Amino acid sequence: MRHLDDYLDKLTNLPPAPRVLPELLDLLSQDNVDSDRVVKVIAYDPGLTASVLQLCNSAYFGLATPAEDLLEAVTRLGFNQVYQLVAALVGSKAMGPPQLGYGIDKGELWKHSVASAVAAQCIAEAQGENQAVVYTAALLHDIGKIVLSDALVHSYAQLIEETERNQQALVDTEKKLLGVDHAEIGGRLLARWRFPAKLVDAVTHHHAPQGAGQHGQLAAYTYLGNMLAHFVGYGYGHLPFALRGRSEAMEMLGLSKDALPQFMIATFEKIDLIDALFGVAR
Amino acid sequence: MASPSLSQLGFEHRVIVGIADLAVSNNPSVTLATYSLGSCLGVTIYDPVIRAGGLLHIMLPDSSIDPVKATKQPGMFVDTGVAALFRAAYQLGAEKMRMRIAVTGGAQIMDNSGYFNIGRRNYEALMGLFQKHGLRVAAEQVGGLVNRTVYFNLRTGEVRLKVSGQPAETQLLCGI
């Protein structure tokens, strides 16, 4: 595993650890949490607090009369909605910039991430699963790409060429060329940032969810969110469909063959939400 | 949907067709465009005699998946989308037997399970429908692992593509 840490240690421009997310997720997992405690965690970061409040009062999420402070926003919009915004604000800092090593223009990775998160959340909603956790895993699933992008600046052409020639998944070519892939490095990054093990495992195994053991279901949501984002047109990079079909992801969640088109429509219905969350990066 | 009244406008402009939507025009200054076709299909039809045509961005193979949705958003499905596209073009005076059809998109991930073959199913449904109605496809670029953006020039009938990972210039799929 030293190789993974090498990549992380070499990186000088890593975004700061988004401490607020693991703490909020921890609160979310408890029953009957006071809004006060939620607000206190967010309020550690005054800049974040101001941005969240601004968004709560913005056109899409807009309250009829503006909320005066965060506590009021949490009370009126609900914890889940506020969490969604906090996670988007935090995530966009890391994933908004271009990642040239992957042929990713400014905002492309972020748009894909948001679309994946919203898509995965659609499935979670239908399945009665914890939406915030699923949303977070899918939102951060490609965060390893910000680490590997530098390493790929000079070998992306080779990555693409070999992927196409061998007709293999991009993630497999990555592993062959670099010794690591973006999924496992993303998982390692989240572990360093003290995210719960289930999120680490879901991100690590988001291309092959059966490897995630007891957290297989969360990995399956993440896998399917990523897939749906591609299907609905939020892919990026040179070979966006160099992905492997994993029917076990559907089976692990007890989903039938017909379910995927239904979730494509559900995701399509949320294009406005995807656009609004994408917009927080501006 | 782009309205024919746009023909009053003289300047060159682009009309964007969103996912699950369609537009027709007989304004030679218009280029119809749709972005980022993955497993979705882009269908263009063009009557070169009257220089009218349309572009459709299909998401799914069959309206039986969600008949209610299909009435509100016919462009989402192959069957209802193609019907709506032709109907709109006929209203501009286009004729079926003169129509030149081009098909793009339908990217397909590597999947043997049949769970994730939306791109292939879209394409097969479209070809089945065309065959049933005696329609021939003049040009196509479908499948593969790429995303495609389509530009359809109503003046020339040219369909140009921008394919992910390929040079920034668009490539010509077909002209009149």
Side-chain angles (χ1 to χ4, degrees):
Chain A
M1 288 302 251
R2 218 182 119 242
H3 211 42
L4 272 181
D5 286 309
D6 282 350
Y7 276 101
L8 287 171
D9 293 337
K10 257 191 283 180
L11 216 70
T12 51
N13 55 349
L14 258 191
R19 234 169 311 169
V20 60
L21 293 190
E23 286 188 39
L24 286 178
L25 282 171
D26 183 41
L27 284 179
L28 264 174
S29 65
Q30 304 166 20
D31 291 333
N32 300 323
V33 177
D34 280 350
S35 299
D36 284 0
R37 291 183 60 196
V38 175
V39 169
K40 211 176 263 175
V41 170
I42 300 173
Y44 285 135
D45 182 340
L48 183 63
T49 306
S51 303
V52 173
L53 196 56
Q54 200 183 357
L55 277 171
C56 290
N57 291 324
S58 70
Y60 181 83
F61 302 96
L63 297 158
T65 54
E68 299 266 327
D69 57 31
L70 204 51
L71 182 61
E72 191 188 337
V74 171
T75 313
R76 288 169 61 193
L77 282 176
F79 187 15
N80 268 306
Q81 182 113 65
V82 172
Y83 175 79
Q84 202 173 43
L85 289 174
V86 172
L89 281 163
V90 171
S92 71
K93 289 213 170 54
M95 288 184 289
Q99 307 297 333
L100 298 181
Y102 277 96
I104 298 173
D105 285 339
K106 183 171 184 295
E108 279 187 332
L109 178 61
W110 179 234
K111 191 138 204 174
H112 169 74
S113 303
V114 166
S116 304
V118 170
Q121 195 178 10
C122 285
I123 310 177
E125 190 180 0
Q127 300 280 101
E129 183 56 65
N130 182 324
Q131 291 180 44
V133 172
V134 168
Y135 171 88
T136 309
L139 189 74
L140 302 178
H141 75 275
D142 271 346
I143 197 154
K145 291 199 171 176
I146 69 172
V147 180
L148 287 190
S149 179
D150 286 355
L152 278 171
V153 163
H154 299 295
S155 50
Y156 187 63
Q158 190 188 354
L159 179 76
I160 292 302
E161 195 270 321
E162 280 198 25
T163 299
E164 195 150 37
R165 180 158 38 85
N166 302 331
Q167 288 291 299
Q168 63 190 12
L170 200 72
V171 67
D172 294 337
T173 319
E174 241 176 50
K175 180 88 177 169
K176 213 177 113 210
L177 286 183
L178 301 176
V180 298
D181 65 57
H182 72 273
E184 52 183 349
I185 217 154
R188 176 57 66 100
L189 182 59
L190 293 192
R192 281 195 179 192
W193 283 347
R194 308 245 177 274
F195 273 81
K198 59 187 168 192
L199 273 130
V200 172
D201 287 350
V203 167
T204 304
H205 299 283
H206 76 262
H207 282 289
Q210 74 278 23
Q214 60 168 321
H215 301 130
Q217 285 205 349
L218 186 57
Y221 281 111
T222 310
Y223 170 88
L224 291 173
N226 180 34
M227 196 64 74
L228 285 167
H230 281 288
F231 286 176
V232 184
Y234 294 105
Y236 62 84
H238 292 194
L239 294 175
F241 278 68
L243 300 164
R244 193 69 64 194
R246 304 285 188 194
S247 53
E248 55 272 26
M250 302 286 282
E251 285 148 15
M252 283 155 104
L253 302 180
L255 296 170
S256 74
K257 263 193 176 151
D258 310 330
L260 215 59
Q262 300 289 354
F263 288 125
M264 283 172 70
I265 296 173
T267 306
F268 168 84
E269 301 284 351
K270 300 218 162 150
I271 279 180
D272 288 348
L273 174 61
I274 293 171
D275 284 343
L277 292 170
F278 174 66
V280 310
R282 282 179 206 135
Chain B
M1 204 179 287
S3 131
S5 66
L6 279 173
S7 59
Q8 272 103 53
L9 304 168
F11 56 93
E12 300 291 325
H13 57 290
R14 193 177 276 175
V15 174
I16 309 300
V17 178
I19 181 169
D21 206 355
L22 65 101
V24 294
S25 178
N26 55 4
N27 178 350
S29 307
V30 163
T31 292
L32 298 174
T34 200
Y35 297 133
S36 197
L37 292 166
S39 54
C40 292
L41 287 174
V43 180
T44 60
I45 59 174
Y46 188 61
D47 180 338
V49 175
I50 64 158
R51 297 185 181 220
L55 169 60
L56 164 69
H57 184 142
I58 298 167
M59 203 169 108
L60 288 164
D62 196 280
S63 62
S64 64
I65 293 164
D66 190 341
V68 177
K69 189 77 206 161
T71 58
K72 279 184 284 184
Q73 191 98 32
M76 183 175 280
F77 306 99
V78 168
D79 51 348
T80 50
V82 169
L85 177 68
F86 274 79
R87 211 162 36 232
Y90 293 156
Q91 280 172 10
L92 299 181
E95 288 188 17
K96 178 179 169 185
M97 295 326 289
R98 296 201 297 249
M99 223 67 108
R100 293 183 55 82
I101 303 172
V103 180
T104 57
Q108 178 58 54
I109 69 156
M110 302 153 183
D111 173 48
N112 300 320
S113 70
Y115 277 87
F116 304 102
N117 60 356
I118 300 288
R120 192 174 306 133
R121 278 168 57 199
N122 279 338
Y123 180 70
E124 286 169 4
L126 184 70
M127 290 303 122
L129 186 71
F130 283 165
Q131 199 172 20
K132 201 172 112 191
H133 291 277
L135 293 163
R136 280 191 321 117
V137 173
E140 66 172 38
Q141 195 198 98
V142 293
L145 306 173
V146 293
N147 275 350
R148 297 177 176 91
T149 289
V150 181
Y151 303 97
F152 175 30
N153 183 319
L154 268 299
R155 187 189 310 282
T156 62
E158 279 183 353
V159 178
R160 304 193 76 90
L161 297 181
K162 170 78 186 76
V163 181
S164 64
Q166 293 177 19
E169 312 86 66
T170 56
Q171 49 177 279
L172 182 67
L173 179 67
C174 66
I176 298 178

